[in-house]
Amino acid sequence: MRKSDPNAPGTPTIQVIERMFALIDVLASREEAVSLKEISEKTGLHPSTTHRILNDLATGRFVDRPEAGSYRLGMRLLELGNLVKGRLNVRDAALAPMRELHKQIQQPVNLSVRQGDEIVYVERAYSERSGMQVVRAIGGRAPLHLTSTGKLFLAADDPQRVRAYATRTGLAGHTKNSITQLPVLERELSKARQYGMARDNEELELGVRCMAAGIYDDQSRLVAGLSISAPADRLDESWLEKLQATANEISSALGHKPPTARLAA
């Protein structure tokens, strides 16, 4: 692929790259092949310039020519996209946004994933005397129905799976606030689906409350939960918007296109 347009001496490399991106954006906006004339019109580039750059992209398999005079995105982009997707790691994607959220609220921020009937904490941002740090929460586990993130995962299950979970676990409680009855849990999960977030009201540990929002991948699958935990009398409802925005940021880094944000009343 050329670094500059040979018919336009002195054209900066950055300008050629910008034109390439503009052409790719036009092709990405359409499912079907696009004519050279339409691509030229939409980008504002001269047809001869458009043709030259598209031919260079076709040489690298970034663009295909299904028939003369028309173009579409090529398989090389799919290959690179799959390579990037395979290297994406929710923990890596979450680290910087978790740090930033912690700076804003000065309370622990947790990242957890589901393993069977439990959630496992895989990352945590919190403060010490030396300042905010991120530590690895190795193997910390908790039942799904007693945690805010766990409720998000249960809310993503169908009713039959939720009932099967209740049968397997017996919905054992840890505190006087723990949800131990299936009808109560089902109502709680309905709220989680409605608002896109879930809560732990001193159900796992007395004196500690949590709120959680989901993290989704490019297939809109729930892959993790981001939660804020705080002393029961210090959990601030204004943190919810920040929490959901941070979870959406991490999801976007994983390729997810989040729906319109929903806030709990």
Side-chain angles (χ1 to χ4, degrees):
M1 189 178 298
R2 304 181 186 94
K3 293 186 177 180
S4 61
D5 188 337
N7 292 334
T11 300
T13 300
I14 187 66
Q15 185 180 74
V16 177
I17 295 175
E18 288 173 349
R19 289 173 174 179
M20 289 169 51
F21 288 154
L23 295 173
I24 289 173
D25 283 342
V26 171
L27 296 178
S29 69
R30 298 277 293 277
E31 292 186 8
E32 67 276 11
V34 187
S35 70
L36 175 63
K37 179 182 178 181
E38 183 177 349
I39 298 170
S40 177
E41 290 174 349
K42 287 184 176 296
T43 58
L45 297 175
H46 191 277
S48 63
T49 301
T50 303
H51 184 259
R52 280 195 303 274
I53 297 176
L54 286 171
N55 281 347
D56 279 346
L57 289 170
T59 299
R61 297 193 300 121
F62 292 96
V63 165
D64 287 337
R65 287 183 295 243
E67 57 186 34
S70 66
Y71 299 84
R72 65 187 178 195
L73 295 182
M75 293 300 294
R76 182 59 177 158
L77 289 172
L78 177 62
E79 293 167 3
L80 292 175
N82 286 334
L83 183 63
V84 171
K85 179 182 175 182
R87 292 176 178 176
L88 288 176
N89 181 292
V90 64
R91 192 161 156 271
D92 293 339
L95 190 56
M98 288 175 67
R99 286 179 182 268
E100 181 58 34
L101 178 59
H102 172 80
K103 288 179 183 178
Q104 295 177 32
I105 66 173
Q106 292 299 306
Q107 294 294 331
V109 178
N110 313 292
L111 179 71
S112 48
V113 299
R114 180 176 185 172
Q115 285 191 0
D117 291 339
E118 299 175 310
I119 62 163
V120 179
Y121 296 94
V122 295
E123 199 71 71
R124 178 174 293 145
Y126 76 111
S127 296
E128 291 183 339
R129 291 182 182 178
S130 59
M132 193 275 294
Q133 296 184 357
V134 172
V135 298
R136 274 64 175 168
I138 306 297
R141 295 173 177 269
L144 296 175
H145 67 289
L146 300 183
T147 61
S148 53
T149 292
K151 289 175 185 176
L152 289 176
F153 279 103
L154 286 174
D157 281 346
D158 59 42
Q160 292 78 11
R161 289 181 179 273
V162 173
R163 287 193 290 269
Y165 167 84
T167 299
R168 285 195 307 273
T169 64
L171 297 181
H174 283 201
T175 75
K176 61 183 179 63
N177 287 0
S178 297
I179 294 177
T180 58
Q181 300 297 320
L182 180 58
V184 180
L185 177 61
E186 289 174 332
R187 287 195 294 271
E188 189 81 357
L189 299 184
S190 178
K191 292 179 182 178
R193 295 185 195 101
Q194 179 181 358
Y195 298 117
M197 59 83 63
R199 302 174 186 273
D200 161 14
N201 183 29
E202 300 184 72
E203 296 161 50
L204 182 65
E205 181 181 350
L206 287 176
V208 178
R209 294 172 61 205
C210 302
M211 57 174 65
I215 295 173
Y216 300 85
D217 66 10
D218 63 327
Q219 300 299 313
S220 296
R221 293 173 298 201
L222 180 65
V223 294
L226 190 71
S227 64
I228 298 171
S229 55
D233 59 351
R234 290 170 57 188
L235 191 72
D236 190 332
E237 291 301 315
S238 69
W239 296 342
L240 176 58
E241 186 174 0
K242 296 182 176 69
L243 174 67
Q244 291 179 316
T246 303
N248 285 344
E249 178 184 353
I250 299 168
S251 297
S252 294
L254 297 176
H256 178 64
K257 295 182 179 180
T260 303
R262 296 167 295 178
L263 293 182

